[in-house]
Amino acid sequence: MTRARGRLIALEGIDGSGKSTLAKSLVARWRRRGRRVALWREPTDRALGARAASANDDDPRLSSALFTLDRALHRPQLEALLAKSDVVADRTFYSTLAYQGSALEPRARRALEEMQRAVALEPDVVVWLDLPPAKALKRVHRRGGSRSPLERLATLRRVSRAYRSMADRGGWLVLDAEKSPRELVELADRALTEGATRRRRTGS
Ligand code: ADP
Ligand code: MG
């Protein structure tokens, strides 16, 4: 059965690119305007997300499986939100493809992508916050982790390349994440509100 549903708006980008900041301010702005909109965050289960993240360095396949499990378990909750409002998602399956997928050889990466298509909801629009990895690392240096800054920089460069390629192929909205939070919420609001009137759609 086909039913009308809210729009799923995905925010993607490397750690520190400003997704959470923009997600909160966009949702706040739209709510003030009377728009029904919910904030969604992946990974949704924090404990499962922490396990998935800690597996990332040594075993990207296990890590991707755990992130995907979290996504599958919470899909009904996301669908329930979409039945009654728009949703701004702070990360989606594209994060799994960018982080873990880019660490896998091509065949495993394609399999991972097919799995996401089976498990995850395709966003109506994807916004990529494009920030040079070195700048992102400066913003999140306190989040640390066990890896050296050089290792982290190399990883974020790989992930950023993966995002760029998906953004090009998928026609994503690309925002220069070096702009101020105020400018970014303004730009995103304008682009996404115009988009909403242009391509209102139904989903299954
Ligand atoms: P993400 O969710 O993508 O990891 P955050 O929104 O948590 O990124 O932002 C990471 C850090 O950078 C935070 O300290 C935040 O205050 C800061 N920050 C977010 N957006 C910007 C921006 N546009 N310019 C400068 N600093 C920012
Ligand atoms: Mg965040």
Side-chain angles (χ1 to χ4, degrees):
M1 194 174 81
T2 302
R3 58 182 168 73
R5 67 166 171 87
R7 302 176 83 218
L8 178 57
I9 295 156
L11 302 189
E12 287 289 351
I14 55 176
D15 291 317
S17 58
K19 298 175 299 297
S20 299
T21 303
L22 179 61
K24 281 182 212 139
S25 55
L26 253 188
V27 166
R29 171 182 281 231
W30 285 343
R31 282 186 180 155
R32 280 196 300 274
R33 216 180 269 160
R35 180 165 169 183
R36 286 166 76 97
V37 57
L39 181 57
W40 183 256
R41 181 179 178 281
E42 293 193 8
T44 308
D45 179 316
R46 279 174 192 264
L48 189 50
R51 287 195 174 198
S54 72
N56 179 61
D57 296 350
D58 295 332
D59 192 345
R61 282 213 294 197
L62 174 63
S63 176
S64 70
L66 294 175
F67 279 122
T68 307
L69 175 63
D70 174 72
R71 191 164 294 129
L73 289 174
H74 296 93
R75 178 172 167 152
Q77 209 175 316
L78 176 56
E79 286 181 332
L81 284 175
L82 282 166
K84 56 186 185 191
S85 71
D86 291 337
V87 173
V88 174
D90 182 349
R91 293 197 184 282
T92 63
F93 72 92
Y94 287 115
S95 288
T96 305
L97 296 181
Y99 278 81
Q100 287 79 46
S102 67
L104 300 175
E105 43 96 15
R107 224 160 63 177
R109 188 185 313 155
R110 279 196 294 277
L112 181 62
E113 185 159 357
E114 276 167 33
M115 198 194 296
Q116 301 311 311
R117 303 272 170 209
V119 161
L121 287 175
E122 175 71 40
D124 295 279
V125 54
V126 185
V127 179
W128 178 38
L129 287 163
D130 179 16
L131 186 68
K135 297 203 166 149
L137 265 188
K138 274 197 188 136
R139 285 190 192 171
V140 295
H141 64 100
R142 271 163 293 138
R143 287 185 201 165
S146 58
R147 306 168 87 200
S148 75
L150 271 181
E151 266 184 305
R152 296 185 75 204
L153 188 59
T155 301
L156 288 184
R157 284 191 174 134
R158 186 196 75 217
V159 174
S160 199
R161 279 196 300 276
Y163 270 129
R164 186 174 307 284
S165 142
M166 292 192 287
D168 287 347
R169 276 183 290 140
W172 294 2
L173 172 65
V174 180
L175 295 180
D176 172 3
E178 290 190 65
K179 291 187 189 296
S180 72
R182 275 175 72 117
E183 285 175 290
L184 285 168
V185 73
E186 194 64 50
L187 284 169
D189 179 19
R190 217 178 304 145
L192 296 169
T193 305
E194 282 165 11
T197 52
R198 245 197 341 263
R199 43 176 170 165
R200 208 174 289 280
R201 52 163 275 182
T202 56
S204 57

